[in-house]
Amino acid sequence: MKRAPAELYTNVMNEVTFLIESLGEKTDDKEVLEQQNQAKKKLNGVYKELQSSLEHLEKNAEWDVFTIAFYGETNAGKSTLIETLRILLSEPTKIAERKKYLSSSQAINHSENRLRKFEEGLSQINISFQIKAEQVNEKLENAVSQIRKLIAESELEHWKVDILDPLIYEKRRSSLYNFILSFFNPMYEQKEMIKAKECIVQLETEISNTKQALDQTQQELIEINEKWQKKIEVVSLNISELQEILSNEDREILKYTDGKIVGDGRSDYTQTVGEYTFSYESQKFVILDLPGIEGREEIVINEINDAIERAHVVFYISGKAAPPQNGDVKSEGTIEKIKRHLSQHTEVYFVYNKRVKNPIQLKKSLISEDEKMALKEVDDILSKVLSEQYEGHKVLSAYPALLSVGNFWKDRFCRNQEKFIEQLGSKEIILEDSRVKYFSDWLRTSLVDESKSKIFKSNYRKIAVAIGHAQENISEIQKQFNSLEKKLKLNEKYANRQFDEESNMLIQNLDNEAIKIVGNFKNRLRKKMYAEIDEEIDTDSFKAMFVKERDIAIEITRQQLEAGMKDILKEFEEAINEIVSKNERYTDELLQSFEGSAKFDFEFEPIFNIKSSGSITGTIASLVTGVMGVILSFSNPVGWIMVALAVVGMIISVGKNILGFFNHGYRSSQQKKATDENIEHMANQLSESFRDSIKDVHDPLMKGIEGVKDNLSFKIKYVNSMNLVFQEAERKLKKLSWEIDQEGMDKPYGND
C-alpha cells in the first residue's frame, strides 16, 4: 500500500535525516568520532539540496489530474500542436472562444449587410441628385442662354434707336416742310424707331421674366443641394457609425480567433506555461505548453522546472527528424538539458512535428525514408539517455492541421488556409494527411488510460530520482575522496620506503663508522707502541707505556666515536626531516588541489584544516635522541677500562721471557708481537661491543620510525574515515531510492 501524498514527502525526508544521522560506526575514539561528524557536516550541502528538491516536488506535484507537458526546442511548433488539440479535443475554453467567434462573425455579417444597404442608399441618393441637378442645370443653361439672346436683341434695338435718332433729327432740320410733315405723317425712320423702342420694352420685360425664372431655378438647385447634403450627412453618419462598429467587431473577433498562442517566429515567444484542461469520457487531463529550451533559458528556467515537476508524461517536440545535439565546454547542449529535465519521468515521447508551410509538402507518406532512418537514430540516442522511460516517437505536422480546423480572421493564417484548401481540396484531406487526428485520438484514449496509476508512478519516481541524484552527488564526492586517498597512500608508500632505506643506511653508516674508529684505534696504538719498542725499552717500561698509550687511544677513540656518531645521526635526522617535509608538502598540495578542483553543481565544502595528530618534529627529535643515547652508552670510560684490563696478563707474560732480557732484538720482536696480539684482542672486543650496541639501536630506531609514519598517515586516516562515511551514505541512499521507486510501481493509494 502506498503512502498518502500528504505524508510521503515528510516521511521520505525523515528517513533521509535518520539515515544521515546514523552514518558511521559507533566508536569511543574521539578523533574518529570527530572525523565522522565532519563528514556528516560536509553532507549538509547534499542534504539541503535534496530537501529543497523534495520541497519543490511537494509544491509542484499533481496527484489528482493527469498532466502532460509539451517540452522542446524554441519554434518547434509546441503551441501550434496544442492549439490544434484544443480544437479537436473540445477544450472548454476553446469551445467558449469559438462560440464567441461565431457570434462575432454573425454580428460582423449583420453589420456588413447594413453598411452595404446604407452604401447602396447613398449611391441612389447621389444618382437621384445627379439627375435632378442635371435637369435644373439644363434649365439654368437654357435661361442663361435665353437672357443672353434677349440682351443681344435688346442691344440691337438700342443700336437701331441710336442710329435712327440722328437721322430723324437731320431730316427735320433739312426743311420746314419736313419738320411739319414729321408731326403729321411720321417718317420711315420714325416708324422704325417706334418699333425698336417697343421691341426694347418687350425684350426688357422678357429679360426680367427670364432672370426671375433663372433665380427660381438657382434657388431650386440650392434647395436640391441642401436636401442632398442633409441626406448625405445622415447616411454618411450611419455609414461611419457602422464602420466604427465593424472596426470594433473586427477587433473583438480577433480575440476569439484560433492560433493566438502560436509563435510568430520570434525566439522566446512563449515565456510562461500555458495550461489547458480537457475531459474525455469522464477522464480529466491537462496539457502544459512550456517555453522553449533553446532560447534565453535563464528567463524561463523556473517556469520549465516547475512544469516538468508537475507533469506525469512529457512530449519532447522537435521540428527536426534528427537527434538532439550535445553541448560543448562553453554551453550546455540539448541532450544535457533533456537528461537534466526529463530523467525523472516515467513516460517520455519524441514528437517529430514536420514543418509544412507549402501545400505541395503535405503528402500522405508525410516523411521520407531518410527521415525514418533519422528517427531510428533519435530512438537509439534517447533510449540511452532516458533508459526505459523513453517510449518512442510520433510523427505529425501541426501547422496544416491547425489550418484545417481553425477559425481565422483576415490574418496570415486565413490567407494560408485559403491556399491550402484551394490546392488540396478540403479541410478533411488536410487534417487526415497531417496525422494530428490520429495523434489526438491516441492521446485521449491510450495515453490517459490508467492515469491514476501513472500519476502515482510518475510522482514516486520523481522522489526516487531526487534521492538518486543526491546519492550520485555523494558518489561523486566519494570518488573524489577515494582518488585523494589513493594518491595519499601512494605517496605514503613512497615515503615509508624512503624511511626504511634511511633506517638501513643509518645502521650501515654506524657499522662503517665503528669499523673506521676501531681501525684508527689499532693503527694509532700500534704506531705509538712500535716507536717506543724501537727505542729498546725494557719489559716494565713496555708495560707501563702500553697502559699509558692504551688509555690515550681509548679516550681518543671515545671522542672520535661520539663525534662520528653525532655526525651520522645529524645526517640521518636531516634526511628524515627532508622526507617528512617533502611528504607533507606533497600531501598539502594534494589536499589543496582537491579543495580547488573538487567543483560540484551542488553545495559541498571540501576538506579544510585537517590537523596533524602530533608533532612530527618532536617525534623525529625523540627518535634521534634515543638512538644517540643507545649508541653513546658504550662510550663511557668505565666500559673502556674493562676492555683494557683483559690485556694486562698478556703484557706481563712478555716480561717473564728471560731470553728476551739478554737478546734485545728478540725482545723487541716479542714486544711487537705482544702489542699486536693485545691490540687485536682489544679491537675484537671493541668491535663486538660496537656491533652489540648497534644491534640495540634497531628496536628504538624502528619504533621511532613507526611513530613518524603514524604521524604522517594521520591525514590518510582522516580522508579514509571521510571516504567510508560517504560510501555508507551512498549505499543507504541508493537503497532508499530503489525502495521508493518500487513503491511507486504498486497499486495507487486509495480508489482508482
Side-chain angles (χ1 to χ4, degrees):
M1 177 67 73
K2 297 182 189 295
R3 285 171 275 194
E7 303 171 354
L8 180 58
Y9 300 96
T10 303
N11 289 350
V12 171
M13 206 61 227
N14 288 340
E15 288 179 30
V16 174
T17 303
F18 176 76
L19 180 153
I20 292 177
E21 289 176 351
S22 65
L23 289 175
E25 297 180 0
K26 292 183 179 180
T27 177
D28 294 328
D29 189 321
K30 291 183 179 180
E31 288 186 348
V32 174
L33 185 61
E34 181 182 351
Q35 291 161 22
Q36 289 179 356
N37 290 334
Q38 285 294 321
K40 291 177 185 179
K41 286 180 182 178
K42 288 176 174 31
L43 278 171
N44 280 342
V46 180
Y47 175 82
K48 287 177 182 177
E49 188 195 31
L50 177 57
Q51 185 179 36
S52 175
S53 297
L54 290 177
E55 287 174 353
H56 256 277
L57 288 173
E58 183 175 18
K59 174 186 173 185
N60 295 316
E62 175 59 64
W63 290 91
D64 299 318
V65 180
F66 190 60
T67 304
I68 306 164
F70 279 59
Y71 165 96
E73 305 153 14
T74 302
N75 294 326
K78 300 185 297 296
S79 299
T80 304
L81 178 55
I82 290 173
E83 184 77 341
T84 308
L85 292 174
R86 292 176 69 198
I87 298 169
L88 293 175
L89 298 176
S90 302
E91 188 249 334
T93 58
K94 178 55 69 175
I95 291 175
E97 198 174 74
R98 287 167 71 85
K99 284 181 179 178
K100 289 180 180 179
Y101 175 90
L102 180 61
S103 176
S104 294
S105 177
Q106 290 172 346
I108 288 173
N109 288 335
H110 177 68
S111 297
E112 286 178 340
N113 289 334
R114 290 184 60 201
L115 178 62
R116 189 164 49 254
K117 288 179 180 179
F118 277 114
E119 288 173 341
E120 289 172 355
L122 180 62
S123 178
Q124 285 299 119
I125 291 170
N126 286 331
I127 292 171
S128 176
F129 167 77
Q130 194 173 16
I131 293 171
K132 288 182 179 180
E134 287 176 354
Q135 291 173 349
V136 173
N137 281 327
E138 186 178 354
K139 287 171 65 178
L140 285 173
E141 289 175 0
N142 292 335
V144 169
S145 177
Q146 181 66 21
I147 289 171
R148 287 174 181 170
K149 178 182 176 184
L150 291 172
I151 290 173
E153 291 177 356
S154 176
E155 287 176 348
L156 179 61
E157 296 304 320
H158 276 290
W159 177 76
K160 286 181 180 180
V161 170
D162 291 339
I163 295 297
L164 291 172
D165 190 53
L167 289 175
I168 292 171
Y169 178 72
E170 288 296 327
K171 279 187 175 185
R172 280 181 174 179
R173 286 185 60 188
S174 64
S175 68
L176 180 61
Y177 173 79
N178 287 339
F179 180 77
I180 295 172
L181 182 63
S182 63
F183 287 101
F184 297 101
N185 187 19
M187 294 180 289
Y188 171 77
E189 288 80 357
Q190 285 178 310
K191 291 179 182 178
E192 288 298 318
M193 189 170 185
I194 291 169
K195 286 180 182 180
K197 286 183 178 180
E198 288 176 351
C199 187
I200 287 170
V201 171
Q202 184 180 354
L203 287 171
E204 287 179 349
T205 300
E206 288 181 11
I207 288 171
S208 176
N209 292 335
T210 304
K211 283 184 176 180
Q212 287 179 359
L214 178 64
D215 290 341
Q216 290 175 354
T217 303
Q218 287 177 331
Q219 183 62 36
E220 182 183 358
L221 182 61
I222 290 171
E223 289 175 356
I224 290 171
N225 188 57
E226 287 177 350
K227 288 180 181 179
W228 176 77
Q229 286 292 343
K230 287 179 181 179
K231 287 183 178 180
I232 288 294
E233 286 177 4
V234 172
V235 175
S236 295
L237 180 61
N238 289 331
I239 289 174
S240 178
E241 288 175 351
L242 277 172
Q243 287 175 336
E244 180 65 25
I245 289 171
L246 275 169
S247 178
N248 291 335
E249 288 174 341
D250 274 342
R251 286 193 294 271
E252 183 68 14
I253 199 172
L254 289 175
K255 297 178 184 178
Y256 312 120
T257 56
D258 297 319
K260 293 189 300 298
I261 68 171
V262 176
D264 56 6
R266 290 177 296 171
S267 178
D268 302 309
Y269 181 86
T270 303
Q271 294 191 7
T272 57
V273 174
E275 179 177 338
Y276 307 99
T277 302
F278 301 84
S279 182
Y280 178 73
E281 293 184 354
S282 74
Q283 175 64 58
K284 189 177 180 182
F285 60 96
V286 166
I287 288 178
L288 303 179
D289 184 8
L290 275 60
I293 61 171
E294 292 185 344
R296 291 183 296 159
E297 191 181 352
E298 68 277 2
I299 65 176
V300 295
I301 187 62
N302 290 334
E303 294 276 344
I304 291 174
N305 285 338
D306 289 350
I308 288 294
E309 287 180 353
R310 181 181 168 191
H312 308 115
V313 173
V314 177
F315 289 126
Y316 168 50
I317 315 295
S318 177
K320 295 172 285 192
Q325 297 301 305
N326 287 305
D328 51 33
V329 177
K330 294 182 180 179
S331 61
E332 187 180 33
T334 306
I335 279 285
E336 289 82 5
K337 291 178 182 178
I338 290 172
K339 186 174 183 180
R340 173 162 53 88
H341 289 148
L342 306 185
S343 59
Q344 62 182 317
H345 276 277
T346 53
E347 275 188 87
V348 180
Y349 296 85
F350 178 83
V351 177
Y352 171 38
N353 178 25
K354 184 168 184 176
R355 293 188 176 97
V356 173
K357 297 295 183 180
N358 193 312
I360 62 175
Q361 293 177 277
L362 194 64
K363 304 173 183 177
K364 288 188 177 182
S365 59
L366 192 59
I367 61 173
S368 65
E369 290 301 319
D370 289 341
E371 287 172 315
K372 290 178 182 178
M373 293 300 295
L375 288 172
K376 288 182 180 179
E377 186 179 356
V378 171
D379 289 342
D380 290 341
I381 290 177
L382 290 182
S383 292
K384 291 176 183 177
V385 173
L386 299 172
S387 189
E388 68 273 11
Q389 279 69 52
Y390 180 63
E391 297 288 345
H393 69 265
K394 302 288 182 182
V395 177
L396 50 80
S397 184
Y399 185 73
L402 179 59
L403 294 181
S404 73
V405 296
N407 291 328
F408 308 111
W409 187 260
K410 299 177 183 178
D411 58 8
R412 57 193 172 99
F413 289 111
C414 190
R415 293 188 295 273
N416 287 333
Q417 185 182 57
E418 292 171 357
K419 182 171 68 174
F420 269 76
I421 294 173
E422 180 183 352
Q423 293 198 30
L424 297 177
S426 70
K427 293 181 178 181
E428 291 73 20
I429 293 174
I430 298 171
L431 180 60
E432 181 178 358
D433 290 348
S434 73
R435 295 194 185 178
V436 174
K437 183 64 168 62
Y438 301 114
F439 179 80
S440 168
D441 293 341
W442 167 80
L443 186 150
R444 68 183 177 183
T445 54
S446 300
L447 182 67
V448 301
D449 189 33
E450 296 185 358
S451 60
K452 197 69 174 178
S453 295
K454 291 185 177 183
I455 288 172
F456 274 80
K457 183 179 178 182
S458 174
N459 287 339
Y460 269 79
R461 174 168 171 76
K462 288 172 190 172
I463 296 172
V465 169
I467 297 171
H469 183 61
Q471 171 252 314
E472 289 171 0
N473 287 341
I474 292 174
S475 176
E476 185 66 23
I477 298 172
Q478 190 271 323
K479 286 178 184 176
Q480 295 278 359
F481 273 114
N482 196 44
S483 175
L484 177 62
E485 183 182 350
K486 286 180 180 178
K487 290 178 182 178
L488 289 172
K489 282 183 175 179
L490 188 64
N491 183 56
E492 178 193 37
K493 185 178 180 180
Y494 176 69
N496 287 346
R497 187 168 64 247
Q498 288 183 305
F499 284 138
D500 293 338
E501 289 173 355
E502 288 298 329
S503 299
N504 293 332
M505 185 64 71
L506 173 62
I507 299 297
Q508 185 64 46
N509 288 339
L510 290 174
D511 192 49
N512 291 338
E513 185 68 16
I515 292 171
K516 184 180 77 170
I517 288 171
V518 170
N520 289 340
F521 168 78
K522 288 164 60 177
N523 291 335
R524 187 185 187 288
L525 185 54
R526 181 181 290 110
K527 184 178 180 181
K528 284 288 185 181
M529 289 307 298
Y530 274 24
E532 292 295 334
I533 291 170
D534 288 342
E535 292 295 328
E536 298 185 354
I537 60 173
D538 57 30
T539 301
D540 291 336
S541 297
F542 169 76
K543 177 182 178 182
M545 183 58 67
F546 186 90
V547 171
K548 176 186 174 184
E549 290 301 329
R550 178 205 66 188
D551 292 342
I552 293 171
I554 287 174
E555 178 57 27
I556 291 172
T557 299
R558 186 191 67 78
Q559 292 175 0
Q560 288 179 343
L561 176 66
E562 188 170 344
M565 296 303 179
K566 282 184 178 178
D567 288 342
I568 290 172
L569 285 172
K570 184 178 180 182
E571 290 179 4
F572 173 73
E573 182 176 7
E574 289 174 352
I576 294 298
N577 277 321
E578 177 65 19
I579 295 170
V580 169
S581 176
K582 286 183 179 179
N583 178 278
E584 289 194 319
R585 186 165 58 249
Y586 182 71
T587 299
D588 289 341
E589 287 174 359
L590 279 176
L591 293 172
Q592 289 171 8
S593 175
F594 171 80
E595 185 177 324
S597 65
K599 303 297 183 184
F600 303 95
D601 58 356
F602 52 90
E603 183 184 344
F604 175 70
E605 178 186 0
I607 296 177
F608 292 105
N609 301 323
I610 300 180
K611 63 182 180 178
S612 177
S613 63
S615 171
I616 296 181
T617 304
T619 303
I620 295 172
S622 299
L623 165 64
V624 173
T625 301
V627 172
M628 177 67 82
V630 174
I631 291 173
L632 298 184
S633 65
F634 57 86
S635 67
N636 191 311
V638 175
W640 297 96
I641 292 169
M642 294 302 294
V643 173
L645 288 176
V647 302
V648 173
M650 297 177 64
I651 295 171
I652 293 173
S653 68
V654 173
K656 290 180 179 179
N657 194 324
I658 299 173
L659 181 61
F661 180 79
F662 298 103
N663 189 333
H664 294 293
Y666 178 77
R667 183 180 62 201
S668 175
S669 66
Q670 290 297 307
Q671 286 175 341
K672 287 182 178 181
K673 180 181 178 183
T675 296
D676 289 341
E677 290 175 350
N678 280 276
I679 288 174
E680 285 300 325
H681 183 69
M682 290 176 65
N684 289 336
Q685 290 211 7
L686 283 173
S687 295
E688 186 177 349
S689 179
F690 287 164
R691 283 194 294 270
D692 291 341
S693 296
I694 290 171
K695 287 179 182 178
D696 292 340
V697 166
H698 185 271
D699 289 342
L701 175 63
M702 292 300 104
K703 183 177 180 182
I705 288 295
E706 289 303 318
V708 174
K709 290 179 179 178
D710 287 343
N711 274 309
L712 288 180
S713 67
F714 175 78
K715 292 179 181 179
I716 298 176
K717 293 176 182 176
Y718 183 94
V719 172
N720 173 260
S721 178
M722 300 281 277
N723 195 10
L724 292 175
V725 170
F726 280 107
Q727 281 181 353
E728 186 182 9
E730 179 192 1
R731 181 183 62 79
K732 289 186 176 181
L733 279 179
K734 190 173 184 179
K735 182 173 180 289
L736 179 59
S737 175
W738 181 84
E739 289 172 348
I740 293 293
D741 201 18
Q742 292 302 305
E743 187 175 340
M745 300 291 185
D746 297 335
K747 288 186 177 181
Y749 171 82
N751 296 322
D752 192 350

